Amino acid sequence: MLDTIPVRVLGCLRPGIITVIAFPGAGMLDGGLLMELPTEIIPVELRMPNSEFIVVRNKQSGEFTQVLSKDSSK
């Protein structure tokens, strides 16, 4: 069982961690909820602030397994 979560990069607030806004545009004053992802799972070209992509998460373990381009969800 996998979840796909749309995200937008907020920035790198701690070494090795990229802070993203999950479900941007839904609540939290036009944002979603904050999540922290390990830098190594995010391709270099998607690490800039405001980059948008899809994160795939295993529902049972809660582990982030994959990053997809925003266009791959269509």
Side-chain angles (χ1 to χ4, degrees):
M1 301 283 246
L2 300 174
D3 274 334
T4 56
I5 304 168
V7 301
R8 180 181 301 140
V9 174
L10 182 60
C12 183
L13 305 178
R14 294 186 331 186
I17 301 291
I18 301 285
T19 303
V20 299
I21 299 171
F23 307 105
M28 200 174 92
L29 297 178
D30 196 31
L33 58 108
L34 292 179
M35 293 173 42
E36 293 182 331
L37 302 173
T39 303
E40 64 268 4
I41 72 164
I42 303 171
V44 173
E45 64 272 12
L46 294 176
R47 295 179 187 174
M48 294 298 297
N50 295 320
S51 295
E52 294 184 350
F53 53 90
I54 306 293
V55 176
V56 179
R57 182 182 68 125
N58 182 311
K59 282 185 181 182
Q60 289 184 328
S61 69
E63 181 180 339
F64 299 108
T65 59
Q66 188 176 10
V67 170
L68 306 170
S69 70
K70 184 178 175 184
D71 299 330
S72 67
S73 67
K74 295 179 183 177

